[in-house]
Amino acid sequence: MMKSLKFILTALLFAQTAILSAQENMEGYLFAYFEGRGPGEKQEQIRFAVSDDAVNWKALNNNQPVMSSAEISATGGVRDPHILRGGKNDGFYMVATDMYTVKNGWETNPGIVLLHSDDLINWDSSIINLEKTYPKSFKNTKWVWAPQTFYDTKKGKYLVYFTVRSYDNLKLDFYAAYANNDFTGFESTPKLLYSAKDGAIDGDIIYKDGLYHLFYKGNTKDENGKEVQNGIKQATSKKLLGPYTESFEYLDAYAEDPTVVEGSSVFKLNETDEYFLMYDLYSNGRYEFQHSTDLFEFTKETESFTKDFFPRHGSVISITKTEAKRLENQWGGVPQSLLTEADGTYKFRSNGNPIITHKFTADPAALVENDTLWLFTGHDYEGGQKGYKMKDWLVFSTTDMQNWTEHPVPMQITDFPWATSGDAYAGHLAKRNGKYYWYISTNWNGIGVAVADKPQGPYKDVLGKPLLTNEDCFASSHAWTCIDPAIFIDKDDQPWIFWGNGVCYYAKLKDNMIEIDGEIKKIDFEGFEFTEAPWVHERNGTYYLTYATGFPEKIAYAMADRVDGPYEYKGILNEVAGNSNTNHQSPIEFKNDWYFIYHNGSIQTDGGSYSRSVCIDKLEYNADGTIKRVQMTTEGVSIPD
C-alpha cells in the first residue's frame, strides 16, 4: 500500500511539474543527439546539450551519454534521437533508431526505440521490432530508420513516423502509426505515409498556418536510376496523414555542392517567428543551419553552431528555466544564463577545487557575517589569456562551502571614472558602521573605495578619487606599487589598511573608513621578501601577516604580538599554486574552523597565470600557534552537518 501511495504521489508531482513548466516561458533549448567523435563503441548513445540562444551549445554530462543504449535497445546502440514536448502537458517523448553499426554494421536493423519521461531525467523505454511485431506487412525488412513523433491535436494522439526499406523493395519510404496510450507500441500496423519519387530518409514534420511541412533528405535520379543530386527537400499537405505533394526544389545550401547533408531538423526559436533548418554534414564533421520565417524560403548562406561536442543526427526542443535547472542538477553543463534567478542570482554547487568553474576568478577576499561566508573576487575575463584582462569584480556567498550563490556583478572598473588604467585588480572588503567598504586597486591609478548597504552591493565610488596613489608609496619607484589593499580592524576597533607591491605599506584609517589617519609606514623584518598581497588576521591574541613572496609566488607568513609588529618570519605557508605565477590568499575563520582561500590556474585547458580560479583548503595551526603548511587539494572542503 505504501509503495502504491508513493508511486501515486510521485506521479502527481511529475504531472504538476509538467503543467507548471508548460506555463513558464521557454527560454532555452535542449539538443538530443548521438556523438560523431571518439571511440566508435561509445558514439551510438543518446546525449544532451543545452543552449540559451540555439546557436551556442554546451554538452551536458561532459558529453557522456545520459542513458545506456545497452539498457534501452535491442542492438546495444541507438542513433537519430528525436525529442518532443508532449502536446497534453504529459511529459516528453523520444524515439531513436535501434542500430549499433560498430558491432553489427549497416546491413540491417530491426526497429526503433520509444521513450517517455515526466522530467527529462528519468526515461521509460520500449522496443519495437517491426518485422517480428508485424510479420505480414514487414517481412524481410532491411532498415527502420530515423523515427520521429508528431502530436496530432485533432485526435489527441502521437503519430510515430520513420523510413522503411526492405530486401524485396530497396525504395526508401515513410511509414507511420499512432502510438498506444502508454507509448510502448503502436495501436495498429504502420501504414505508408509518404513515398518520394526517388526515395527519402530522415523525415521531420512541422505544422504552420494550416499546412504540414515534411522535410527530409531526398535525391534526384536520372532515367537509368542513378542518383545525380541529393539534399534537403520538403513535401506539404493539408492533412497530417497526407497525401503530401512533393517539391523537387532543394532547400539546403549544399545541394549543388559535393558536400552531403542529412538528418535535417526544423525548430522554432523562442518568442520569434523564425525557424532554424539544421542538418548534419556527416562527412565533414560539421552541423549547420539556415533561417526561415515561412518554411518555404530559407537563407542561402549557412551558419555554424558553436559547440563543445560533435553531434550527429539529432533534434531540438525549447525548455524552461525550471527544466534547465533540473538538467543542471542531474548532469551539469547548462549555461549560466538559464540558471539565473529573476533577481540576478545564480546558484551552483562546488565539487571541490576550483570552487568556481563557470568563470575565471582571482584575488579572493572573504568576509563572514552570521552564518554566511561572503567571497569577493576579481574576474579574469577569458580563458587562455596572454595578460591580465579584468574589468569587474564578483561576489559569491555560501553557508556550507558547497552550495553557492553568485550575485549580480556588484562593481565595474568603469564605476571609477578616475581609473583610466581600466584594470579591476585585487580588493578587500570590510564592514563598518553598518556599511560595507570595498577597497580596490587599479594597477597604476591607485587604490579606491566603494561603499554599499549590503555585502552583495551594488557599490558606489565614495571618494570620486583614489584613497592612495603611487605618491603615497614613498619607498617605491615602479608604477604598479599601489595595489592589493587589505583591511584589518583590531580589538580596539581601530581600522588599518595594508597594501603594496615590492614594499609593504600600512596606515591607520579614520573611523569614516575613507581617510588615512596619520603617517604611512612600511613593514620590514629579517627574512621579509615581499612581493604583494598582504593580509593580516588575528587568532588567540597573535597577529599573522601573510603575503606573496618570490616569483612565481608562494605564500609566506610572519607572526607578531601587535598588528603593527614587529613581525617575525615563520616560513612558507603554501607553495606555488599550480599553473599560476601569482598567488593571493584570504585566511578566514568560519563556523569554528579556519580556511585558506587562494587562486591557482588549474582549469584545463584554458586556465593559467591570467585565467585563474579560486580554491579553498583547510588552514590548521600547531599547538604553539604557528601554521601548518597548507595542503592544496582537488577535493576542497565542506562544512560538516
Side-chain angles (χ1 to χ4, degrees), residues 31-37 47 49 57 63 278-282 285-288 305 307-314:
F31 187 1
Y33 63 97
F34 74 101
E35 177 61 48
R37 296 268 180 101
R47 291 169 165 84
W57 294 89
N63 199 27
M278 69 178 191
Y279 41 76
D280 180 359
L281 286 75
Y282 57 95
R286 304 201 309 274
Y287 226 98
E288 297 182 353
F305 295 111
K307 48 188 172 42
D308 57 356
F309 55 101
F310 298 90
R312 295 294 316 279
H313 186 172

Side-chain angles (χ1 to χ4, degrees), residues 368 373 538 587-595:
V368 171
L373 183 144
E538 182 269 336
I588 196 78
E589 185 180 19
F590 182 49
K591 295 189 175 180
N592 300 316
D593 278 311
W594 281 88
Y595 297 92

Side-chain angles (χ1 to χ4, degrees), residues 167-471:
Y167 287 103
D168 300 327
N169 181 2
L170 297 183
K171 191 164 183 289
L172 290 156
D173 289 328
F174 290 110
Y175 283 77
Y178 286 103
N180 57 20
N181 288 334
D182 58 5
F183 206 70
T184 59
F186 297 144
E187 285 186 342
S188 59
T189 304
K191 306 295 184 183
L192 181 67
L193 175 69
Y194 171 65
S195 180
K197 177 178 179 293
D198 294 316
I201 60 172
D202 299 348
D204 184 28
I205 297 176
I206 305 296
Y207 179 77
K208 176 175 169 55
D209 299 334
L211 203 62
Y212 295 90
H213 299 253
L214 172 58
F215 296 89
Y216 57 90
K217 179 181 179 178
N219 63 89
T220 303
K221 295 180 180 178
D222 62 18
E223 63 274 11
N224 298 315
K226 180 182 178 181
E227 182 181 292
V228 294
Q229 192 176 14
N230 67 59
I232 307 303
K233 292 183 175 182
Q234 74 165 308
T236 56
S237 173
K238 292 184 178 180
K239 297 181 179 180
L240 175 60
L241 297 180
Y244 282 85
T245 301
E246 180 173 358
S247 170
F248 294 95
E249 177 186 1
Y250 287 95
L251 302 174
D252 66 286
Y254 295 99
E256 304 294 333
D257 191 283
T259 301
V260 287
V261 305
E262 66 179 16
S264 63
S265 183
V266 177
F267 63 94
K268 186 176 181 295
L269 299 187
N270 300 330
E271 306 299 330
T272 75
D273 294 325
E274 189 174 9
Y275 291 81
F276 276 6
L277 165 66
M278 69 178 191
Y279 41 76
D280 180 359
L281 286 75
Y282 57 95
S283 64
N284 296 77
R286 304 201 309 274
Y287 226 98
E288 297 182 353
F289 63 94
Q290 297 168 238
H291 304 249
S292 177
T293 56
D294 61 7
L295 296 182
F296 288 105
E297 296 294 329
F298 288 84
T299 53
K300 302 304 181 184
E301 298 295 326
T302 66
E303 298 178 50
S304 294
F305 295 111
T306 298
K307 48 188 172 42
D308 57 356
F309 55 101
F310 298 90
R312 295 294 316 279
H313 186 172
S315 55
V316 171
I317 62 169
S318 295
I319 58 173
T320 67
K321 279 193 171 183
T322 295
E323 292 157 354
K325 291 172 185 175
R326 196 183 308 143
L327 292 165
E328 171 68 16
N329 291 336
Q330 180 69 19
W331 292 301
V334 173
Q336 183 181 346
S337 60
L338 294 176
L339 305 174
T340 302
E341 305 290 348
D343 62 359
T345 59
Y346 163 54
K347 292 178 171 54
F348 64 96
R349 184 174 176 83
S350 169
N351 294 311
N353 285 326
I355 59 170
I356 302 159
T357 57
H358 61 279
K359 290 181 177 177
F360 292 101
T361 51
D363 304 327
L367 171 73
V368 171
E369 188 169 44
N370 300 321
D371 67 342
T372 301
L373 183 144
W374 293 89
L375 176 63
F376 307 87
T377 77
H379 180 199
D380 289 335
Y381 260 35
E382 303 292 341
Q385 293 184 60
K386 302 302 180 184
Y388 296 110
K389 183 183 178 185
M390 307 174 75
K391 301 302 179 184
D392 58 11
W393 292 268
L394 305 176
V395 58
F396 307 84
S397 62
T398 184
T399 58
D400 61 7
M401 296 288 204
Q402 286 189 327
N403 296 289
W404 291 83
T405 298
E406 179 180 359
H407 300 269
V409 172
M411 190 168 60
Q412 304 176 69
I413 191 62
T414 53
D415 294 330
F416 302 88
W418 50 267
T420 57
S421 68
D423 295 323
Y425 278 13
H428 192 173
L429 189 135
K431 183 179 181 182
R432 180 82 164 180
N433 302 326
K435 300 283 187 179
Y436 298 87
Y437 295 86
W438 198 336
Y439 300 77
I440 56 91
S441 48
T442 62
N443 197 354
W444 44 266
N445 283 126
I447 291 170
V449 189
V451 67
D453 294 324
K454 51 187 179 180
Q456 61 268 45
Y459 285 80
K460 182 179 180 180
D461 180 11
V462 70
L463 287 173
K465 63 180 182 179
L467 171 67
L468 294 162
T469 68
N470 288 342
E471 294 182 2

Side-chain angles (χ1 to χ4, degrees), residues 616-627:
I616 303 179
D617 280 303
K618 296 282 285 189
L619 186 65
E620 297 179 312
Y621 296 83
N622 296 307
D624 62 357
T626 57
I627 308 176

Side-chain angles (χ1 to χ4, degrees), residues 18-32:
I19 293 172
L20 289 174
S21 295
Q23 294 172 345
E24 288 185 63
N25 292 331
M26 298 296 165
E27 299 192 42
Y29 304 87
L30 175 65
F31 187 1

Side-chain angles (χ1 to χ4, degrees), residues 130 137-138 160-165 169 173-177 190-194:
L130 211 63
S137 300
F138 293 96
V160 180
Y161 56 99
F162 42 87
T163 299
V164 175
R165 184 179 191 178
N169 181 2
D173 289 328
F174 290 110
Y175 283 77
K191 306 295 184 183
L192 181 67
L193 175 69
Y194 171 65

